[in-house]
Amino acid sequence: MKLNGKAILNGIKEYFMISLGLVIYVVGWSIFLVPNNLVGGGVTGISSIVQYATDGAVKMGTIYFAINSVLLVLAMFTLGKSFGGKTIYAVVFASIGLNVAQGLIPWDIIQTLAIDNGKLMSTIMGSIMVGVSMGMTMSQGGSTGGTDIIALIVNKYRGVSPGRMMLWMDTVIILSSLLIPSYTQTGGLMPFTEKITTVVYGFIYIVIVSTVLDLYLSGSRQSVQLFILSKKFAEIADAITNELHRGVTVLDGKGWYTKENTEVLMVITRKADLNILLRYIKQIDPNAFLSVSSVTGVYGKGFETIKMHNK
């Protein structure tokens, strides 16, 4: 019952974080990017280019869903069914959100937050929101769809960071906007000189998104190493193993002051799980002595995988 309950709670937490990330994603595009006719990378960038080219006749959420439907099939075969399930949820959520939010958010809010502040500030704000939202979704085992699916596939087999891979793909997409006509919010055709400026803003967009994404993912994957000294070491070790499903190593030690032999528990876990682990230890032995330190480069089951590059 405990295992089932914990699995359900973890599932709720993951989908809540994905949903929150998607809301940020949709709001970032609907308030800051689309009203300024700004372009971005990925499938969302392609979708925005199509929407601008059709003067809004074809909504970007529709194109976003169509392209991602193809990529999702690829993701389910390469990244696993659980990834595919979460990403299907994310794609459907984002597709509906991108279509609905554009007509739902009052224009006064868009005018105040985006239009009045100019395209540069809108690009910065929108790209930060998109980068954070994608990081939140990826850290929970899902994806916002699009080129980040391709980026995660490449990262799985080649070890290239998702941010860097997406940077190259997004560059090509943004440059392609120069060749496609674009209609503004007022219905007028955007001059070519202004499109060049928009491409520059697009480059700023992808640099910020890729940087924020990598920073978020590296932060969410940080690990910590604990050394635990307690007379109730066996109870603590059992709780960590059975309840938190983390490995525990028991080391033989000796207190030099007391000259007594003692057992030292060594545990490596995600930084996000540290508070839960500390609560378990405190409940079992409030007088336990602990040492916590940050570690990098943790490889093995439950952590990172060493990528092997074929020559």
Side-chain angles (χ1 to χ4, degrees), residues 27-178:
V27 170
W29 269 97
S30 301
I31 292 182
F32 295 101
L33 302 176
V34 173
N36 284 291
N37 272 73
L38 295 170
V39 296
V43 172
T44 317
I46 298 174
S47 303
S48 64
I49 293 173
V50 173
Q51 177 171 310
Y52 303 152
T54 59
D55 197 15
V58 180
K59 292 293 185 181
M60 59 187 299
T62 305
I63 302 298
Y64 179 89
F65 179 80
I67 298 176
N68 275 303
S69 297
V70 177
L71 292 176
L72 282 173
V73 176
L74 179 63
M76 292 183 69
F77 281 105
T78 56
L79 299 176
K81 294 182 178 179
S82 61
F83 178 95
K86 293 175 182 177
T87 306
I88 289 174
Y89 170 79
V91 167
V92 173
F93 191 111
S95 299
I96 297 174
L98 288 170
N99 279 353
V100 173
Q102 292 186 52
L104 189 64
I105 300 176
W107 183 255
D108 290 342
I109 295 177
I110 296 175
Q111 182 73 37
T112 303
L113 296 179
I115 305 298
D116 291 346
N117 288 321
K119 290 189 175 183
L120 178 59
M121 184 57 67
S122 296
T123 301
I124 295 173
M125 292 299 299
S127 56
I128 290 175
M129 294 179 70
V130 170
V132 170
S133 65
M134 292 172 66
M136 292 175 67
T137 306
M138 284 186 178
S139 65
Q140 301 303 317
S143 165
T144 53
T147 53
D148 51 327
I149 291 179
I150 301 175
L152 286 177
I153 294 173
V154 175
N155 175 258
K156 178 178 180 180
Y157 294 106
R158 301 298 299 176
V160 181
S161 74
R164 182 179 301 176
M165 187 65 193
M166 290 170 60
L167 182 64
W168 289 106
M169 291 187 290
D170 293 347
T171 299
V172 175
I173 293 171
I174 290 174
L175 286 174
S176 68
S177 66
L178 287 172

Side-chain angles (χ1 to χ4, degrees), residues 188-204:
L189 191 63
M190 180 182 291
F192 185 78
T193 54
E194 189 173 344
K195 291 180 68 176
I196 295 176
T197 306
T198 301
V199 167
V200 175
Y201 288 132
F203 288 149
I204 296 174

Side-chain angles (χ1 to χ4, degrees), residues 4 7 23 119 211 305:
N4 291 336
V23 170
K119 290 189 175 183
T211 302
T305 302

Side-chain angles (χ1 to χ4, degrees), residues 273-285:
D273 298 329
L274 177 61
N275 288 335
I276 298 176
L277 191 148
L278 293 177
R279 281 198 293 267
Y280 269 88
I281 297 173
K282 184 178 180 180
Q283 289 175 358
I284 297 173
D285 184 5

